[in-house]
Amino acid sequence: MSGSTAASFTADDYRARMERAARTAAEAGLAGLLVAPGPDLVWLTGYAPPAVTERLTLLVLAAGQDPVLVVPALEAPDAQKAAGASALTLRDWTDGKDPYAATAALLDASGRFGISDNAWALHLLALQQAMPGSSYASLTEALPMLRAVKDAAELELMTAAGAAADATFEEVRNVPFSGRRESEVAADLDRLLRRHGHEQVDFTIVASGPNGANPHHEAGDRVIERGDMVVLDFGGLKDGYGSDTSRTVHVGEPTDEERRVHDIVREAQEAGFRAVRPGAACQDVDRAARAVIADAGYGEYFIHRTGHGIGVTTHEPPYMIEGEERPLVPGMCFSVEPGIYLPGRFGVRIEDIVTVTEDGGRRLNTTSRELVIVE
């Protein structure tokens, strides 16, 4: 995470996040949370270790206890500079000492703990050995909504990231497509995202012609031709918060069928957006978008969920998918991105990031959803 992001939040912000996380964990029946280096640690403390190594770094949160960050002694000076450092206690350990015994002393030896999805097996197994009576659940399983509801400052950063992605699309639609490799247009997207403030680019999908039927196609050496439909899906982190948008363009004039399929996806995307409101279930967004595509006869060609959450990572809970009955809450941010994928021919996807408001939803991407003609 960039330094500018850390400066956006105060020690009080991080203290409130840690207190809420500990309280939510207790309400879920957990003895506490164990947070390893990664997005959750940055979100809770503002601290990203200078390098992720085999040495244990772990934030320990439990209701009624002060937060403790167990950190290698050689990295303690960096941890002390983190924006949230004054809201927690640093417990450093030196090489040759047992960091797991030191961590176990802070914990209920028979407790069940939520632990970061990306915690190393090395550390988890050592903790289990130090506390044979303990048990663990991944944070995504135990507290999937931990980061889902954004506050006003986070929404401001999300909005800025969306605007930067929109500015990128407005520029990339004017670059040459015909006669260039997908990888060259992907490089344009990467360059433009960074020019518009992204410190990290997570993906630049450029899927032309038949490659568009693969939703996660990696931009390759295929030369884009006149007559190709091209799916563009790109995003990353700007000031620590995610962008992700998709638009489908056409090189030269499209056929009637290509226009029709694009129109169906556009209508489905609009239906998914209109289903967004507080109290609606996540699956309602998926159902609304999917119904439009199914009614048009293309249901079997919409092969992925309608959306995913986004925040300090570009993919996170909640997910807009059948079976997810979790209600939408103001401040949640997620994609609405239906698509139709015709094997061997072409694909279409249209995606906006949407945030739930008090009475509906607000798009964070506002570029045209009409079929754009490029050269």
Side-chain angles (χ1 to χ4, degrees):
M1 184 172 286
S2 69
S4 60
T5 302
S8 299
F9 301 105
T10 67
D12 286 342
D13 293 323
Y14 291 114
R15 180 179 291 106
R17 289 177 185 178
M18 288 188 282
E19 289 175 352
R20 177 158 60 89
R23 185 172 63 251
T24 305
E27 291 168 354
L30 297 172
L33 299 181
L34 306 176
V35 185
D40 290 314
L41 185 64
V42 175
W43 184 77
L44 286 163
T45 68
Y47 177 53
V52 178
T53 72
E54 73 283 358
R55 292 183 174 91
L56 180 72
T57 295
L58 202 66
L59 175 67
V60 177
L61 297 178
Q65 296 178 209
D66 290 336
V68 176
L69 181 64
V70 178
V71 62
L74 74 169
E75 294 174 7
D78 292 301
Q80 288 169 345
K81 296 174 187 174
S86 63
L88 49 78
T89 299
L90 285 179
R91 185 77 54 87
D92 63 9
W93 62 275
T94 56
D95 286 353
K97 302 293 185 181
D98 183 354
Y100 307 105
T103 303
L106 304 171
L107 303 172
D108 174 356
S110 60
R112 180 168 177 78
F113 299 92
I115 190 165
S116 300
D117 297 6
N118 56 338
W120 287 20
L122 170 75
H123 300 318
L124 176 57
L125 292 170
L127 283 171
Q128 287 179 315
Q129 189 170 14
M131 302 186 299
S134 62
S135 60
Y136 303 85
S138 72
L139 282 188
T140 290
E141 174 194 343
L143 296 178
M145 296 295 104
L146 180 63
R147 305 193 314 254
V149 178
K150 277 63 178 176
D151 62 25
E154 290 181 294
L155 286 173
E156 198 171 308
L157 290 168
M158 290 289 301
T159 300
D166 283 356
T168 294
F169 176 70
E170 293 294 1
E171 289 193 46
V172 86
R173 62 185 286 182
N174 293 316
V175 307
F177 278 72
S178 180
R180 300 176 71 213
R181 291 183 174 87
E182 292 174 339
S183 57
E184 293 177 289
V185 178
D188 289 335
L189 285 169
D190 186 294
R191 173 177 53 82
L192 290 168
L193 283 168
R194 294 181 191 279
R195 180 194 293 172
H196 289 290
H198 282 63
E199 70 273 7
Q200 177 177 314
V201 176
D202 287 350
F203 45 88
T204 52
I205 293 172
V206 179
S208 64
N211 289 341
N214 175 3
H216 284 172
H217 172 70
E218 291 276 346
D221 290 334
R222 184 182 186 277
V223 176
I224 302 168
E225 304 171 353
R226 289 194 69 79
D228 279 349
M229 195 81 93
V230 186
V231 179
L232 305 174
D233 184 349
F234 51 94
L237 300 182
K238 180 183 185 298
D239 294 329
Y241 280 77
S243 70
D244 184 3
T245 188
S246 301
R247 292 292 185 262
T248 302
V249 302
H250 197 277
V251 186
E253 282 301 313
T255 65
D256 289 345
E257 181 190 20
E258 287 169 332
R259 282 194 180 278
R260 183 170 67 253
V261 170
H262 190 277
D263 284 345
I264 292 165
V265 174
R266 182 169 51 80
E267 290 168 12
Q269 206 271 346
E270 178 68 19
F273 169 69
R274 292 192 179 282
V276 175
R277 62 184 183 282
C282 291
Q283 68 180 3
D284 292 342
V285 178
D286 183 85
R287 287 176 175 178
R290 199 168 299 276
V292 173
I293 291 174
D295 289 349
Y298 289 92
E300 66 184 291
Y301 302 111
F302 180 11
I303 56 177
H304 56 72
R305 64 197 175 203
T306 292
H308 58 82
I310 185 170
V312 294
T313 57
T314 47
H315 287 74
E316 62 187 43
Y319 298 102
M320 307 301 114
I321 190 170
E322 181 66 30
E324 179 52 87
E325 298 179 351
R326 195 178 310 278
L328 301 181
V329 176
M332 282 182 175
C333 296
F334 49 85
S335 66
V336 178
E337 51 176 307
I340 292 175
Y341 307 94
L342 303 178
R345 302 183 62 209
F346 65 90
V348 175
R349 181 164 64 258
I350 302 172
E351 173 186 15
D352 294 326
I353 299 304
V354 172
T355 185
V356 185
T357 64
E358 294 298 329
D359 58 359
R362 174 170 66 90
R363 284 186 166 103
L364 303 188
N365 298 107
T366 58
T367 56
S368 173
R369 286 168 288 279
E370 301 292 333
L371 183 57
V372 169
I373 309 299
V374 297
E375 294 301 324

